[in-house]
Amino acid sequence: AQKITQTQPGMFVQEKEAVTLDCTYDTSDQSYGLFWYKQPSSGEMIFLIYQGSYDEQNATEGRYSLNFQKARKSANLVISASQLGDSAMYFCAMRAPGTALIFGKGTTLSVSS
Amino acid sequence: DTGVSQDPRHKITKRGQNVTFRCDPISEHNRLYWYRQTLGQGPEFLTYFQNEAQLEKSRLLSDRFSAERPKGSFSTLEIQRTEQGDSAMYLCASSLADRGLTGNTIYFGEGSWLTVV
């Protein structure tokens, strides 16, 4: 069975600082994808970044990067230069082809000025 | 290109009533998913369709829940005889069918909030 673990219920960071949100996963599949989503208070689940299990390089999308350590089964999200608008809930998720996306419990990020 | 849209965004209903939510996926996406999310938790998978076929249902989907996607485009999720425990946000998502090794990205709508009083 697949499982996602996010151990940080809440994180606090000041504007312009970088922050790392932790995610570990468990799966017996060799092929899988790892995803991060942002959920503001409005409720919409916004796709941020994707990492395939066979990708050798860490994924990057603007200020977001995914620190993928396959042997440790970790897929941490790094947000550089935090902005007030980054305050939201962040979910790590994974899926293998043909299966549904499963989510962790999320981390609430609060960015202060 | 519009994203995934859901209707209604908010619904308050009395216990025992039936409710129906509608989801319109991204137009070229042939997969459609329903998730449920309660406060402070991550979304939980309910069911998904590929075109009009319902391919997987979670054990969370009790017999009071039914989902359809009659023409492989929009989908409806109906909850019969609602209970207070059904209060949650119901998220719809869509994607292309999987190609390649690691699956396609799934895009979500803004969700439909249900409050059962």
mmCIF file of all heavy atoms in Angstrom, chain A residues 31-33 35 37 39 42-45 47 50 52-54 89 91 95 97-98 100-101 103-105, chain B residues 9 31 33 35 37 40-43 45 48 89 91 98 101-110 113:
data_model
loop_
_atom_site.group_PDB
_atom_site.id
_atom_site.type_symbol
_atom_site.label_atom_id
_atom_site.label_comp_id
_atom_site.label_asym_id
_atom_site.label_seq_id
_atom_site.Cartn_x
_atom_site.Cartn_y
_atom_site.Cartn_z
ATOM 1 N N SER A 31 7.480 2.484 -10.376
ATOM 2 C CA SER A 31 7.103 3.661 -11.163
ATOM 3 C C SER A 31 6.032 4.437 -10.417
ATOM 4 O O SER A 31 4.966 3.892 -10.109
ATOM 5 C CB SER A 31 6.544 3.236 -12.522
ATOM 6 O OG SER A 31 7.493 2.491 -13.240
ATOM 7 N N TYR A 32 6.327 5.674 -10.144
ATOM 8 C CA TYR A 32 5.350 6.500 -9.435
ATOM 9 C C TYR A 32 5.697 7.968 -9.652
ATOM 10 O O TYR A 32 6.801 8.312 -10.094
ATOM 11 C CB TYR A 32 5.318 6.187 -7.929
ATOM 12 C CG TYR A 32 6.673 6.214 -7.253
ATOM 13 C CD1 TYR A 32 7.192 7.392 -6.729
ATOM 14 C CD2 TYR A 32 7.435 5.045 -7.149
ATOM 15 C CE1 TYR A 32 8.430 7.415 -6.134
ATOM 16 C CE2 TYR A 32 8.690 5.068 -6.546
ATOM 17 C CZ TYR A 32 9.178 6.246 -6.042
ATOM 18 O OH TYR A 32 10.412 6.262 -5.450
ATOM 19 N N GLY A 33 4.728 8.805 -9.353
ATOM 20 C CA GLY A 33 4.936 10.238 -9.429
ATOM 21 C C GLY A 33 4.688 10.874 -8.079
ATOM 22 O O GLY A 33 3.829 10.418 -7.311
ATOM 23 N N PHE A 35 3.919 14.597 -6.115
ATOM 24 C CA PHE A 35 3.309 15.889 -6.406
ATOM 25 C C PHE A 35 3.231 16.725 -5.138
ATOM 26 O O PHE A 35 3.073 16.195 -4.041
ATOM 27 C CB PHE A 35 1.875 15.704 -6.931
ATOM 28 C CG PHE A 35 1.758 14.814 -8.132
ATOM 29 C CD1 PHE A 35 1.745 13.431 -7.999
ATOM 30 C CD2 PHE A 35 1.649 15.352 -9.401
ATOM 31 C CE1 PHE A 35 1.621 12.601 -9.104
ATOM 32 C CE2 PHE A 35 1.528 14.532 -10.512
ATOM 33 C CZ PHE A 35 1.513 13.162 -10.359
ATOM 34 N N TYR A 37 0.858 20.053 -3.818
ATOM 35 C CA TYR A 37 -0.258 20.944 -4.080
ATOM 36 C C TYR A 37 -0.337 21.984 -2.971
ATOM 37 O O TYR A 37 -0.005 21.714 -1.815
ATOM 38 C CB TYR A 37 -1.591 20.174 -4.111
ATOM 39 C CG TYR A 37 -1.782 19.295 -5.319
ATOM 40 C CD1 TYR A 37 -1.244 18.010 -5.357
ATOM 41 C CD2 TYR A 37 -2.509 19.739 -6.413
ATOM 42 C CE1 TYR A 37 -1.426 17.201 -6.463
ATOM 43 C CE2 TYR A 37 -2.696 18.933 -7.528
ATOM 44 C CZ TYR A 37 -2.151 17.660 -7.542
ATOM 45 O OH TYR A 37 -2.333 16.855 -8.639
ATOM 46 N N GLN A 39 -3.055 24.588 -1.046
ATOM 47 C CA GLN A 39 -4.480 24.828 -0.835
ATOM 48 C C GLN A 39 -4.659 26.075 0.018
ATOM 49 O O GLN A 39 -4.522 26.035 1.247
ATOM 50 C CB GLN A 39 -5.156 23.622 -0.177
ATOM 51 C CG GLN A 39 -6.669 23.742 -0.132
ATOM 52 C CD GLN A 39 -7.339 22.511 0.415
ATOM 53 O OE1 GLN A 39 -6.888 21.927 1.405
ATOM 54 N NE2 GLN A 39 -8.421 22.078 -0.231
ATOM 55 N N SER A 42 -9.331 29.477 0.378
ATOM 56 C CA SER A 42 -10.483 29.386 -0.536
ATOM 57 C C SER A 42 -10.839 27.934 -0.866
ATOM 58 O O SER A 42 -11.958 27.652 -1.302
ATOM 59 C CB SER A 42 -10.195 30.140 -1.830
ATOM 60 O OG SER A 42 -9.050 29.589 -2.471
ATOM 61 N N GLY A 43 -9.890 27.022 -0.694
ATOM 62 C CA GLY A 43 -10.201 25.608 -0.876
ATOM 63 C C GLY A 43 -9.660 24.970 -2.136
ATOM 64 O O GLY A 43 -9.545 23.744 -2.204
ATOM 65 N N GLU A 44 -9.353 25.760 -3.151
ATOM 66 C CA GLU A 44 -8.875 25.168 -4.395
ATOM 67 C C GLU A 44 -7.537 24.476 -4.196
ATOM 68 O O GLU A 44 -6.664 24.972 -3.501
ATOM 69 C CB GLU A 44 -8.738 26.241 -5.476
ATOM 70 C CG GLU A 44 -8.333 25.697 -6.830
ATOM 71 C CD GLU A 44 -8.160 26.787 -7.867
ATOM 72 O OE1 GLU A 44 -8.276 27.966 -7.506
ATOM 73 O OE2 GLU A 44 -7.904 26.449 -9.028
ATOM 74 N N MET A 45 -7.352 23.333 -4.788
ATOM 75 C CA MET A 45 -6.106 22.581 -4.708
ATOM 76 C C MET A 45 -5.274 22.946 -5.937
ATOM 77 O O MET A 45 -5.635 22.594 -7.062
ATOM 78 C CB MET A 45 -6.422 21.084 -4.688
ATOM 79 C CG MET A 45 -5.281 20.196 -4.257
ATOM 80 S SD MET A 45 -4.908 20.305 -2.518
ATOM 81 C CE MET A 45 -6.304 19.454 -1.843
ATOM 82 N N PHE A 47 -1.944 22.772 -8.212
ATOM 83 C CA PHE A 47 -0.769 21.961 -8.511
ATOM 84 C C PHE A 47 0.476 22.850 -8.546
ATOM 85 O O PHE A 47 0.476 23.911 -9.163
ATOM 86 C CB PHE A 47 -0.960 21.270 -9.858
ATOM 87 C CG PHE A 47 0.300 20.691 -10.431
ATOM 88 C CD1 PHE A 47 0.886 19.581 -9.839
ATOM 89 C CD2 PHE A 47 0.905 21.256 -11.527
ATOM 90 C CE1 PHE A 47 2.053 19.046 -10.356
ATOM 91 C CE2 PHE A 47 2.070 20.732 -12.051
ATOM 92 C CZ PHE A 47 2.649 19.623 -11.460
ATOM 93 N N TYR A 50 5.927 18.523 -9.847
ATOM 94 C CA TYR A 50 5.858 17.068 -10.065
ATOM 95 C C TYR A 50 7.273 16.496 -10.212
ATOM 96 O O TYR A 50 8.137 17.121 -10.821
ATOM 97 C CB TYR A 50 5.046 16.795 -11.335
ATOM 98 C CG TYR A 50 5.266 15.437 -11.946
ATOM 99 C CD1 TYR A 50 4.579 14.336 -11.460
ATOM 100 C CD2 TYR A 50 6.165 15.256 -12.998
ATOM 101 C CE1 TYR A 50 4.771 13.087 -12.022
ATOM 102 C CE2 TYR A 50 6.360 14.011 -13.551
ATOM 103 C CZ TYR A 50 5.664 12.933 -13.065
ATOM 104 O OH TYR A 50 5.863 11.696 -13.621
ATOM 105 N N GLY A 52 8.926 12.617 -11.211
ATOM 106 C CA GLY A 52 8.760 11.212 -11.551
ATOM 107 C C GLY A 52 9.831 10.380 -10.876
ATOM 108 O O GLY A 52 10.957 10.835 -10.668
ATOM 109 N N SER A 53 9.497 9.139 -10.584
ATOM 110 C CA SER A 53 10.435 8.292 -9.845
ATOM 111 C C SER A 53 11.697 7.992 -10.640
ATOM 112 O O SER A 53 12.732 7.637 -10.060
ATOM 113 C CB SER A 53 9.757 6.984 -9.425
ATOM 114 O OG SER A 53 9.290 6.276 -10.561
ATOM 115 N N TYR A 54 11.628 8.120 -11.954
ATOM 116 C CA TYR A 54 12.808 7.846 -12.781
ATOM 117 C C TYR A 54 13.572 9.113 -13.163
ATOM 118 O O TYR A 54 14.582 9.040 -13.851
ATOM 119 C CB TYR A 54 12.393 7.093 -14.050
ATOM 120 C CG TYR A 54 11.888 5.700 -13.753
ATOM 121 C CD1 TYR A 54 10.535 5.402 -13.809
ATOM 122 C CD2 TYR A 54 12.765 4.680 -13.393
ATOM 123 C CE1 TYR A 54 10.074 4.134 -13.528
ATOM 124 C CE2 TYR A 54 12.309 3.399 -13.118
ATOM 125 C CZ TYR A 54 10.956 3.142 -13.184
ATOM 126 O OH TYR A 54 10.491 1.882 -12.904
ATOM 127 N N MET A 89 -2.115 25.853 3.068
ATOM 128 C CA MET A 89 -1.862 24.455 3.405
ATOM 129 C C MET A 89 -1.149 23.821 2.223
ATOM 130 O O MET A 89 -1.502 24.077 1.063
ATOM 131 C CB MET A 89 -3.204 23.752 3.636
ATOM 132 C CG MET A 89 -3.106 22.411 4.291
ATOM 133 S SD MET A 89 -3.007 22.571 6.069
ATOM 134 C CE MET A 89 -3.431 20.912 6.570
ATOM 135 N N PHE A 91 0.165 20.154 0.505
ATOM 136 C CA PHE A 91 -0.005 18.708 0.539
ATOM 137 C C PHE A 91 0.986 18.032 -0.394
ATOM 138 O O PHE A 91 1.154 18.432 -1.549
ATOM 139 C CB PHE A 91 -1.423 18.315 0.102
ATOM 140 C CG PHE A 91 -2.486 18.694 1.088
ATOM 141 C CD1 PHE A 91 -3.216 19.856 0.930
ATOM 142 C CD2 PHE A 91 -2.761 17.877 2.179
ATOM 143 C CE1 PHE A 91 -4.198 20.208 1.833
ATOM 144 C CE2 PHE A 91 -3.750 18.211 3.091
ATOM 145 C CZ PHE A 91 -4.462 19.383 2.919
ATOM 146 N N ARG A 95 1.206 8.998 -6.737
ATOM 147 C CA ARG A 95 0.396 8.007 -7.411
ATOM 148 C C ARG A 95 1.269 7.186 -8.334
ATOM 149 O O ARG A 95 2.296 7.653 -8.831
ATOM 150 C CB ARG A 95 -0.740 8.636 -8.207
ATOM 151 C CG ARG A 95 -0.326 9.510 -9.367
ATOM 152 C CD ARG A 95 -1.541 10.192 -9.967
ATOM 153 N NE ARG A 95 -2.466 9.235 -10.526
ATOM 154 C CZ ARG A 95 -2.636 9.037 -11.829
ATOM 155 N NH1 ARG A 95 -1.941 9.737 -12.701
ATOM 156 N NH2 ARG A 95 -3.511 8.160 -12.268
ATOM 157 N N PRO A 97 0.895 4.818 -11.926
ATOM 158 C CA PRO A 97 -0.040 4.777 -13.047
ATOM 159 C C PRO A 97 -1.187 3.821 -12.775
ATOM 160 O O PRO A 97 -0.986 2.708 -12.284
ATOM 161 C CB PRO A 97 0.842 4.276 -14.217
ATOM 162 C CG PRO A 97 2.203 4.719 -13.856
ATOM 163 C CD PRO A 97 2.283 4.607 -12.358
ATOM 164 N N GLY A 98 -2.387 4.274 -13.080
ATOM 165 C CA GLY A 98 -3.562 3.435 -12.878
ATOM 166 C C GLY A 98 -4.115 3.466 -11.475
ATOM 167 O O GLY A 98 -5.125 2.817 -11.196
ATOM 168 N N ALA A 100 -5.151 5.880 -7.846
ATOM 169 C CA ALA A 100 -5.581 7.229 -7.461
ATOM 170 C C ALA A 100 -4.462 7.960 -6.740
ATOM 171 O O ALA A 100 -3.537 7.360 -6.197
ATOM 172 C CB ALA A 100 -6.797 7.130 -6.558
ATOM 173 N N LEU A 101 -4.564 9.253 -6.743
ATOM 174 C CA LEU A 101 -3.621 10.104 -6.019
ATOM 175 C C LEU A 101 -3.922 10.003 -4.527
ATOM 176 O O LEU A 101 -5.079 10.133 -4.120
ATOM 177 C CB LEU A 101 -3.815 11.539 -6.495
ATOM 178 C CG LEU A 101 -2.779 12.593 -6.161
ATOM 179 C CD1 LEU A 101 -1.440 12.268 -6.788
ATOM 180 C CD2 LEU A 101 -3.271 13.957 -6.646
ATOM 181 N N PHE A 103 -2.866 11.446 -0.603
ATOM 182 C CA PHE A 103 -2.320 12.650 -0.004
ATOM 183 C C PHE A 103 -1.825 12.407 1.413
ATOM 184 O O PHE A 103 -2.326 11.535 2.122
ATOM 185 C CB PHE A 103 -3.409 13.724 0.069
ATOM 186 C CG PHE A 103 -3.778 14.324 -1.251
ATOM 187 C CD1 PHE A 103 -4.682 13.690 -2.089
ATOM 188 C CD2 PHE A 103 -3.220 15.521 -1.660
ATOM 189 C CE1 PHE A 103 -5.025 14.244 -3.303
ATOM 190 C CE2 PHE A 103 -3.556 16.088 -2.872
ATOM 191 C CZ PHE A 103 -4.465 15.449 -3.698
ATOM 192 N N GLY A 104 -0.891 13.247 1.827
ATOM 193 C CA GLY A 104 -0.533 13.332 3.226
ATOM 194 C C GLY A 104 -1.524 14.227 3.956
ATOM 195 O O GLY A 104 -2.485 14.726 3.358
ATOM 196 N N LYS A 105 -1.291 14.453 5.243
ATOM 197 C CA LYS A 105 -2.216 15.254 6.042
ATOM 198 C C LYS A 105 -1.974 16.749 5.896
ATOM 199 O O LYS A 105 -2.778 17.544 6.360
ATOM 200 C CB LYS A 105 -2.115 14.851 7.516
ATOM 201 C CG LYS A 105 -2.654 13.469 7.774
ATOM 202 C CD LYS A 105 -2.821 13.193 9.257
ATOM 203 C CE LYS A 105 -3.531 11.859 9.458
ATOM 204 N NZ LYS A 105 -3.768 11.576 10.873
ATOM 205 N N ARG B 9 -20.903 25.690 -5.167
ATOM 206 C CA ARG B 9 -19.694 25.836 -4.351
ATOM 207 C C ARG B 9 -20.012 25.580 -2.880
ATOM 208 O O ARG B 9 -19.163 25.110 -2.137
ATOM 209 C CB ARG B 9 -19.104 27.229 -4.527
ATOM 210 C CG ARG B 9 -18.552 27.514 -5.912
ATOM 211 C CD ARG B 9 -17.298 26.692 -6.222
ATOM 212 N NE ARG B 9 -16.372 26.612 -5.104
ATOM 213 C CZ ARG B 9 -15.546 27.574 -4.730
ATOM 214 N NH1 ARG B 9 -15.511 28.714 -5.388
ATOM 215 N NH2 ARG B 9 -14.741 27.407 -3.689
ATOM 216 N N ARG B 31 -10.110 11.429 -17.763
ATOM 217 C CA ARG B 31 -10.266 10.883 -16.411
ATOM 218 C C ARG B 31 -10.848 11.943 -15.487
ATOM 219 O O ARG B 31 -10.460 13.107 -15.537
ATOM 220 C CB ARG B 31 -8.921 10.415 -15.869
ATOM 221 C CG ARG B 31 -8.488 9.112 -16.489
ATOM 222 C CD ARG B 31 -7.543 8.386 -15.599
ATOM 223 N NE ARG B 31 -7.285 7.060 -16.141
ATOM 224 C CZ ARG B 31 -6.363 6.250 -15.682
ATOM 225 N NH1 ARG B 31 -5.613 6.635 -14.666
ATOM 226 N NH2 ARG B 31 -6.185 5.068 -16.214
ATOM 227 N N TYR B 33 -12.069 12.431 -11.255
ATOM 228 C CA TYR B 33 -11.930 11.876 -9.907
ATOM 229 C C TYR B 33 -12.799 12.672 -8.933
ATOM 230 O O TYR B 33 -12.981 13.877 -9.078
ATOM 231 C CB TYR B 33 -10.482 12.006 -9.416
ATOM 232 C CG TYR B 33 -9.426 11.474 -10.357
ATOM 233 C CD1 TYR B 33 -9.002 12.211 -11.446
ATOM 234 C CD2 TYR B 33 -8.832 10.228 -10.130
ATOM 235 C CE1 TYR B 33 -8.018 11.732 -12.303
ATOM 236 C CE2 TYR B 33 -7.845 9.749 -10.977
ATOM 237 C CZ TYR B 33 -7.447 10.503 -12.058
ATOM 238 O OH TYR B 33 -6.474 10.027 -12.904
ATOM 239 N N TYR B 35 -12.975 13.365 -4.707
ATOM 240 C CA TYR B 35 -12.319 13.245 -3.412
ATOM 241 C C TYR B 35 -13.186 13.927 -2.363
ATOM 242 O O TYR B 35 -13.973 14.825 -2.666
ATOM 243 C CB TYR B 35 -10.945 13.935 -3.418
ATOM 244 C CG TYR B 35 -9.858 13.170 -4.114
ATOM 245 C CD1 TYR B 35 -9.774 13.146 -5.510
ATOM 246 C CD2 TYR B 35 -8.904 12.455 -3.394
ATOM 247 C CE1 TYR B 35 -8.766 12.439 -6.150
ATOM 248 C CE2 TYR B 35 -7.892 11.751 -4.021
ATOM 249 C CZ TYR B 35 -7.828 11.750 -5.393
ATOM 250 O OH TYR B 35 -6.829 11.046 -6.025
ATOM 251 N N GLN B 37 -12.791 15.891 1.474
ATOM 252 C CA GLN B 37 -11.817 16.455 2.406
ATOM 253 C C GLN B 37 -12.518 17.054 3.609
ATOM 254 O O GLN B 37 -13.406 17.896 3.467
ATOM 255 C CB GLN B 37 -10.970 17.536 1.725
ATOM 256 C CG GLN B 37 -9.838 18.066 2.583
ATOM 257 C CD GLN B 37 -9.021 19.127 1.888
ATOM 258 O OE1 GLN B 37 -9.462 19.734 0.917
ATOM 259 N NE2 GLN B 37 -7.802 19.360 2.377
ATOM 260 N N GLY B 40 -8.751 19.996 8.255
ATOM 261 C CA GLY B 40 -7.474 19.581 8.834
ATOM 262 C C GLY B 40 -6.909 18.290 8.288
ATOM 263 O O GLY B 40 -5.894 17.798 8.794
ATOM 264 N N GLN B 41 -7.571 17.735 7.266
ATOM 265 C CA GLN B 41 -7.105 16.476 6.680
ATOM 266 C C GLN B 41 -6.792 16.649 5.204
ATOM 267 O O GLN B 41 -7.245 17.600 4.561
ATOM 268 C CB GLN B 41 -8.178 15.394 6.841
ATOM 269 C CG GLN B 41 -8.560 15.093 8.277
ATOM 270 C CD GLN B 41 -7.422 14.487 9.063
ATOM 271 O OE1 GLN B 41 -6.703 13.611 8.576
ATOM 272 N NE2 GLN B 41 -7.231 14.949 10.294
ATOM 273 N N GLY B 42 -6.040 15.707 4.677
ATOM 274 C CA GLY B 42 -5.826 15.692 3.240
ATOM 275 C C GLY B 42 -7.015 15.086 2.522
ATOM 276 O O GLY B 42 -7.833 14.379 3.139
ATOM 277 N N PRO B 43 -7.144 15.350 1.243
ATOM 278 C CA PRO B 43 -8.261 14.756 0.480
ATOM 279 C C PRO B 43 -8.190 13.230 0.490
ATOM 280 O O PRO B 43 -7.103 12.654 0.440
ATOM 281 C CB PRO B 43 -8.049 15.301 -0.930
ATOM 282 C CG PRO B 43 -7.221 16.531 -0.760
ATOM 283 C CD PRO B 43 -6.343 16.252 0.418
ATOM 284 N N PHE B 45 -9.621 9.790 -1.464
ATOM 285 C CA PHE B 45 -10.152 9.334 -2.744
ATOM 286 C C PHE B 45 -11.508 8.664 -2.556
ATOM 287 O O PHE B 45 -11.710 7.847 -1.649
ATOM 288 C CB PHE B 45 -9.164 8.354 -3.371
ATOM 289 C CG PHE B 45 -9.691 7.612 -4.554
ATOM 290 C CD1 PHE B 45 -9.870 8.244 -5.766
ATOM 291 C CD2 PHE B 45 -10.017 6.261 -4.443
ATOM 292 C CE1 PHE B 45 -10.361 7.553 -6.856
ATOM 293 C CE2 PHE B 45 -10.505 5.565 -5.532
ATOM 294 C CZ PHE B 45 -10.685 6.207 -6.737
ATOM 295 N N TYR B 48 -13.165 7.137 -9.337
ATOM 296 C CA TYR B 48 -12.753 7.806 -10.560
ATOM 297 C C TYR B 48 -13.323 7.124 -11.804
ATOM 298 O O TYR B 48 -13.688 5.938 -11.769
ATOM 299 C CB TYR B 48 -11.242 7.982 -10.633
ATOM 300 C CG TYR B 48 -10.431 6.880 -11.268
ATOM 301 C CD1 TYR B 48 -10.154 6.877 -12.631
ATOM 302 C CD2 TYR B 48 -9.885 5.878 -10.480
ATOM 303 C CE1 TYR B 48 -9.373 5.885 -13.203
ATOM 304 C CE2 TYR B 48 -9.089 4.891 -11.040
ATOM 305 C CZ TYR B 48 -8.835 4.896 -12.401
ATOM 306 O OH TYR B 48 -8.056 3.920 -12.959
ATOM 307 N N MET B 89 -15.759 18.951 2.301
ATOM 308 C CA MET B 89 -15.633 19.533 0.966
ATOM 309 C C MET B 89 -15.453 18.383 -0.021
ATOM 310 O O MET B 89 -14.655 17.462 0.230
ATOM 311 C CB MET B 89 -14.443 20.480 0.870
ATOM 312 C CG MET B 89 -14.315 21.102 -0.533
ATOM 313 S SD MET B 89 -13.250 22.526 -0.604
ATOM 314 C CE MET B 89 -11.679 21.800 -0.255
ATOM 315 N N LEU B 91 -14.225 17.437 -3.601
ATOM 316 C CA LEU B 91 -13.347 17.930 -4.655
ATOM 317 C C LEU B 91 -13.437 17.056 -5.887
ATOM 318 O O LEU B 91 -13.423 15.827 -5.790
ATOM 319 C CB LEU B 91 -11.888 17.922 -4.174
ATOM 320 C CG LEU B 91 -11.469 19.003 -3.183
ATOM 321 C CD1 LEU B 91 -10.215 18.585 -2.442
ATOM 322 C CD2 LEU B 91 -11.248 20.320 -3.892
ATOM 323 N N ASP B 98 -3.304 7.846 -18.169
ATOM 324 C CA ASP B 98 -1.869 7.709 -17.967
ATOM 325 C C ASP B 98 -1.142 7.262 -19.228
ATOM 326 O O ASP B 98 -1.538 6.320 -19.885
ATOM 327 C CB ASP B 98 -1.606 6.680 -16.858
ATOM 328 C CG ASP B 98 -1.995 7.218 -15.511
ATOM 329 O OD1 ASP B 98 -1.902 8.438 -15.310
ATOM 330 O OD2 ASP B 98 -2.407 6.414 -14.671
ATOM 331 N N LEU B 101 5.485 6.311 -17.508
ATOM 332 C CA LEU B 101 5.720 5.460 -16.353
ATOM 333 C C LEU B 101 5.102 5.970 -15.062
ATOM 334 O O LEU B 101 4.790 5.185 -14.180
ATOM 335 C CB LEU B 101 7.224 5.296 -16.149
ATOM 336 C CG LEU B 101 7.968 4.583 -17.275
ATOM 337 C CD1 LEU B 101 9.457 4.612 -17.018
ATOM 338 C CD2 LEU B 101 7.473 3.143 -17.401
ATOM 339 N N THR B 102 4.924 7.249 -14.952
ATOM 340 C CA THR B 102 4.641 7.757 -13.617
ATOM 341 C C THR B 102 3.340 8.517 -13.500
ATOM 342 O O THR B 102 3.082 9.142 -12.502
ATOM 343 C CB THR B 102 5.794 8.652 -13.128
ATOM 344 O OG1 THR B 102 6.032 9.656 -14.095
ATOM 345 C CG2 THR B 102 7.034 7.828 -12.903
ATOM 346 N N GLY B 103 2.491 8.453 -14.477
ATOM 347 C CA GLY B 103 1.171 9.028 -14.327
ATOM 348 C C GLY B 103 1.116 10.512 -14.631
ATOM 349 O O GLY B 103 2.099 11.220 -14.467
ATOM 350 N N ASN B 104 -0.036 10.940 -15.079
ATOM 351 C CA ASN B 104 -0.221 12.345 -15.413
ATOM 352 C C ASN B 104 -0.649 13.160 -14.208
ATOM 353 O O ASN B 104 -1.226 12.649 -13.255
ATOM 354 C CB ASN B 104 -1.280 12.477 -16.513
ATOM 355 C CG ASN B 104 -0.698 12.167 -17.879
ATOM 356 O OD1 ASN B 104 0.388 12.618 -18.226
ATOM 357 N ND2 ASN B 104 -1.412 11.374 -18.649
ATOM 358 N N THR B 105 -0.415 14.463 -14.304
ATOM 359 C CA THR B 105 -0.822 15.375 -13.241
ATOM 360 C C THR B 105 -2.338 15.460 -13.174
ATOM 361 O O THR B 105 -3.020 15.456 -14.193
ATOM 362 C CB THR B 105 -0.214 16.756 -13.489
ATOM 363 O OG1 THR B 105 1.206 16.633 -13.442
ATOM 364 C CG2 THR B 105 -0.663 17.749 -12.420
ATOM 365 N N ILE B 106 -2.846 15.531 -11.968
ATOM 366 C CA ILE B 106 -4.275 15.659 -11.730
ATOM 367 C C ILE B 106 -4.563 17.092 -11.309
ATOM 368 O O ILE B 106 -3.908 17.622 -10.412
ATOM 369 C CB ILE B 106 -4.729 14.659 -10.644
ATOM 370 C CG1 ILE B 106 -4.528 13.226 -11.159
ATOM 371 C CG2 ILE B 106 -6.184 14.899 -10.266
ATOM 372 C CD1 ILE B 106 -4.840 12.165 -10.133
ATOM 373 N N TYR B 107 -5.555 17.712 -11.950
ATOM 374 C CA TYR B 107 -5.917 19.105 -11.681
ATOM 375 C C TYR B 107 -7.264 19.147 -10.982
ATOM 376 O O TYR B 107 -8.211 18.478 -11.397
ATOM 377 C CB TYR B 107 -5.960 19.908 -12.988
ATOM 378 C CG TYR B 107 -4.606 20.009 -13.650
ATOM 379 C CD1 TYR B 107 -4.213 19.073 -14.598
ATOM 380 C CD2 TYR B 107 -3.725 21.017 -13.297
ATOM 381 C CE1 TYR B 107 -2.959 19.142 -15.181
ATOM 382 C CE2 TYR B 107 -2.468 21.097 -13.886
ATOM 383 C CZ TYR B 107 -2.092 20.156 -14.821
ATOM 384 O OH TYR B 107 -0.852 20.221 -15.396
ATOM 385 N N PHE B 108 -7.342 19.962 -9.950
ATOM 386 C CA PHE B 108 -8.527 20.001 -9.099
ATOM 387 C C PHE B 108 -9.373 21.244 -9.345
ATOM 388 O O PHE B 108 -8.869 22.296 -9.741
ATOM 389 C CB PHE B 108 -8.111 20.002 -7.624
ATOM 390 C CG PHE B 108 -7.648 18.663 -7.135
ATOM 391 C CD1 PHE B 108 -6.362 18.219 -7.397
ATOM 392 C CD2 PHE B 108 -8.508 17.834 -6.425
ATOM 393 C CE1 PHE B 108 -5.930 16.978 -6.959
ATOM 394 C CE2 PHE B 108 -8.087 16.591 -5.977
ATOM 395 C CZ PHE B 108 -6.803 16.164 -6.249
ATOM 396 N N GLY B 109 -10.656 21.102 -9.046
ATOM 397 C CA GLY B 109 -11.556 22.230 -9.002
ATOM 398 C C GLY B 109 -11.503 22.906 -7.642
ATOM 399 O O GLY B 109 -10.692 22.535 -6.777
ATOM 400 N N GLU B 110 -12.386 23.884 -7.447
ATOM 401 C CA GLU B 110 -12.380 24.659 -6.210
ATOM 402 C C GLU B 110 -13.163 23.976 -5.091
ATOM 403 O O GLU B 110 -13.152 24.443 -3.968
ATOM 404 C CB GLU B 110 -12.944 26.053 -6.461
ATOM 405 C CG GLU B 110 -12.044 26.903 -7.366
ATOM 406 C CD GLU B 110 -12.612 28.278 -7.582
ATOM 407 O OE1 GLU B 110 -13.823 28.403 -7.846
ATOM 408 O OE2 GLU B 110 -11.835 29.248 -7.501
ATOM 409 N N TRP B 113 -18.495 22.757 -0.906
ATOM 410 C CA TRP B 113 -18.606 22.594 0.541
ATOM 411 C C TRP B 113 -20.013 22.134 0.888
ATOM 412 O O TRP B 113 -20.995 22.763 0.496
ATOM 413 C CB TRP B 113 -18.335 23.924 1.247
ATOM 414 C CG TRP B 113 -16.937 24.414 1.142
ATOM 415 C CD1 TRP B 113 -16.425 25.245 0.195
ATOM 416 C CD2 TRP B 113 -15.861 24.135 2.048
ATOM 417 N NE1 TRP B 113 -15.092 25.505 0.439
ATOM 418 C CE2 TRP B 113 -14.724 24.832 1.576
ATOM 419 C CE3 TRP B 113 -15.748 23.373 3.203
ATOM 420 C CZ2 TRP B 113 -13.491 24.783 2.224
ATOM 421 C CZ3 TRP B 113 -14.518 23.324 3.848
ATOM 422 C CH2 TRP B 113 -13.409 24.017 3.367
#
